[in-house]
Amino acid sequence: MVGNTKSHNLLLIAQPPLIHKLRLGINDDIRSRITYSVHLKPLAPDDVKTFIRDQLDRCGLPHAVFTDDALALVVRTSEGVLRRVRNLCVGSLLETVRDRKREVGLEQVNRVLMQPHWRKEHDVTQ
């Protein structure tokens, strides 16, 4: 190659909505720099539970800090997406501290799920 050329490669880690937006013509320049991409499938429910327990171990918290019902709700509503799992667990733990309790129950998880950013577009009334 002759001349002053610059080569930029991007490593993109993103949720599917961003990938879809990159398909717009205005984003051709960015999309052309993506060298490699992969679609990660959501985790299976048992893998989500394993992930949560591993994270609790890292924090020095007992596995029983989440009731079985609360854990099942986190697994179901996170849909296997790690970011959702982590955010829902952290939010639930914060609600539990606010309630001055030692165990995350359905009440705390549901309180987090009632926040607007957790609702689906069709669930939010204008």
Side-chain angles (χ1 to χ4, degrees):
M1 301 178 99
V2 179
N4 185 10
T5 60
K6 294 182 180 179
S7 176
H8 295 78
N9 291 318
L10 297 176
L11 171 63
L12 178 64
I13 301 171
Q15 297 289 331
L18 178 60
I19 302 298
H20 293 297
K21 287 180 182 177
L22 284 174
R23 291 189 181 128
L24 297 174
I26 194 168
N27 295 318
D28 283 343
D29 191 43
I30 294 171
R31 194 177 67 223
S32 70
R33 287 176 166 77
I34 299 172
T35 323
Y36 183 82
S37 65
V38 64
H39 177 77
L40 298 176
K41 295 180 182 178
L43 291 179
D46 286 340
D47 294 332
V48 172
K49 289 179 186 176
T50 300
F51 173 76
I52 293 170
R53 291 180 179 131
D54 178 60
Q55 295 299 300
L56 291 171
D57 289 342
R58 290 172 182 249
C59 296
L61 293 173
H63 293 178
V65 76
F66 281 85
T67 65
D68 290 340
D69 289 339
L71 185 62
L73 183 56
V74 169
V75 169
R76 187 173 59 254
T77 56
S78 67
E79 299 173 335
V81 177
L82 283 181
R83 181 180 296 153
R84 291 182 194 159
V85 172
R86 176 170 265 164
N87 289 344
L88 186 51
C89 286
V90 169
S92 299
L93 286 165
L94 288 171
E95 288 295 329
T96 303
V97 170
R98 287 181 61 204
D99 290 346
R100 299 178 190 263
K101 295 190 176 184
R102 294 184 175 269
E103 187 177 63
V104 178
L106 284 174
E107 180 182 350
Q108 290 78 27
V109 178
N110 278 322
R111 201 173 310 135
V112 173
L113 289 171
M114 291 304 298
Q115 297 171 5
H117 67 280
W118 279 101
R119 297 187 213 161
K120 304 283 185 189
E121 286 182 28
H122 55 80
D123 293 337
V124 179
T125 57
Q126 305 263 337

